[in-house]
Amino acid sequence: MTKSKVSKIRTRIDALRAVINKECTAPICQESGTCRHEGEKEAARHMLGRLLDKLKQAAEDGRDERAQIWADIYERGYDSYGNTYRTGAKYRSGQSMKERAAGIRADIKMARTAGQTPLVQEGPGLVSQALETYRFDPIGEAPAQIKFRVRIGDGYGSIRIGVDNIPQEWGWVAEKVADYQGRKVTQWRRSQALKDLEAELKSVGEAYNADHGSNLMTDCFAKAFFVFVESDDPGTLARRAEYERKHRNRRA
């Protein structure tokens, strides 16, 4: 990771904390006794929680300078035997899967709102230099036509976040490859923008998760639940549409 990117991460952490900690001075809020800018603070809390979770994971994996950033914030997240312990910023013991799914939906909605119409505005009230932080969020920056769905997986052991209606030119790169018979076929791979979006969605879900001592060496999995992010490439969508068309014709 470059020094400029490390600096940007640190700046973003400081800016988000500035939004969270800044006292609102808007006259209308002070007169009413109710701050109308609490949504800005909540969006900043969600973003900061996701960012810290990703930094902690980088530290646990021993990756680049992000490990040092995390070391400056929290302690090590695993013991000497390789057992991993992680508690997401939004994890609550006893929380139901329905509550977790609802929280993830709300966080995604908040990120979309903050990205499309930044909540921190110039003028009286909760004014902060953190305006720029909302432009680094892949969920908020994703094309407006993209739709998200959150559902509980079969067996109540997972939450699946779906990404639909992805613009082909934005999310996918077509490559011509040879199949097992040597014929040229199109293979779709994710663009960097889509990878960033899916990684951010994963972190949204993991913020509600906890690991109570998993150990890959012994196939021990002690997570509260599993988070999956799903999206279909243009080839899969075309095959599904063709199958549904044929199925409708047979029924007719």
Side-chain angles (χ1 to χ4, degrees):
M1 179 180 287
T2 63
K3 289 184 178 180
S4 62
K5 191 166 186 179
V6 170
S7 177
K8 182 181 290 186
I9 291 175
R10 292 183 185 275
T11 299
R12 187 183 180 195
I13 290 174
D14 292 340
L16 286 169
R17 283 176 170 163
V19 172
I20 295 168
N21 297 326
K22 189 173 180 65
E23 181 181 356
C24 180
T25 57
I28 189 171
C29 296
Q30 293 183 339
E31 291 173 4
S32 66
T34 302
C35 180
R36 301 186 304 164
H37 304 88
E38 184 57 33
E40 301 165 16
K41 289 178 176 285
E42 190 65 13
R45 292 188 192 102
H46 293 179
M47 291 180 187
L48 181 59
R50 297 201 304 271
L51 181 56
L52 294 181
D53 272 351
K54 286 191 287 187
L55 288 174
K56 184 177 182 182
Q57 187 61 54
E60 292 171 351
D61 295 342
R63 295 201 303 267
D64 55 57
E65 291 86 349
R66 285 172 294 183
Q68 184 57 46
I69 297 177
W70 177 257
D72 294 340
I73 300 172
Y74 283 129
E75 72 281 1
R76 187 174 63 166
Y78 54 89
D79 63 20
S80 299
Y81 299 97
N83 301 309
T84 59
Y85 298 91
R86 188 190 70 84
T87 301
K90 307 294 287 289
Y91 174 78
R92 300 293 182 272
S93 178
Q95 194 174 41
S96 71
M97 292 297 282
K98 286 185 178 180
E99 290 172 324
R100 289 165 178 158
I104 292 170
R105 291 189 194 98
D107 285 358
I108 293 173
K109 182 178 180 180
M110 180 68 71
R112 291 294 275 172
T113 301
Q116 295 168 9
T117 308
L119 294 169
V120 180
Q121 301 287 348
E122 294 293 337
L126 195 63
V127 180
S128 170
Q129 70 271 29
L131 178 61
E132 290 295 319
T133 65
Y134 295 104
R135 298 177 185 171
F136 299 131
D137 189 82
I139 300 175
E141 288 186 332
Q145 70 191 72
I146 288 181
K147 304 299 180 184
F148 301 94
R149 49 190 166 79
V150 180
R151 64 183 179 86
I152 300 171
D154 295 337
Y156 278 68
S158 65
I159 289 181
R160 298 180 177 273
I161 305 173
V163 187
D164 299 324
N165 209 28
I166 302 170
Q168 181 173 315
E169 68 281 1
W170 179 86
W172 303 98
V173 178
E175 291 183 342
K176 290 294 184 180
V177 298
D179 65 8
Y180 70 97
Q181 293 181 332
R183 297 173 301 185
K184 288 290 185 180
V185 296
T186 299
Q187 176 176 286
W188 297 94
R189 62 178 178 83
R190 286 165 170 76
S191 67
Q192 187 59 52
L194 180 54
K195 290 179 182 178
D196 291 344
L197 173 61
E198 292 184 337
E200 192 69 16
L201 290 169
K202 175 83 169 175
S203 71
V204 170
E206 291 293 353
Y208 289 83
N209 207 354
D211 194 326
H212 304 295
S214 297
N215 193 315
L216 295 178
M217 297 297 292
T218 59
D219 290 331
C220 174
F221 300 99
K223 288 187 175 182
F225 62 96
F226 293 91
V227 180
F228 300 100
V229 180
E230 304 167 329
S231 58
D232 293 323
D233 62 51
T236 300
L237 293 174
R239 289 190 295 272
R240 182 179 300 149
E242 179 62 16
Y243 171 82
E244 292 175 352
R245 184 188 66 80
K246 291 180 178 179
H247 189 65
R248 286 195 300 269
N249 291 339
R250 283 198 298 267
R251 287 189 300 178

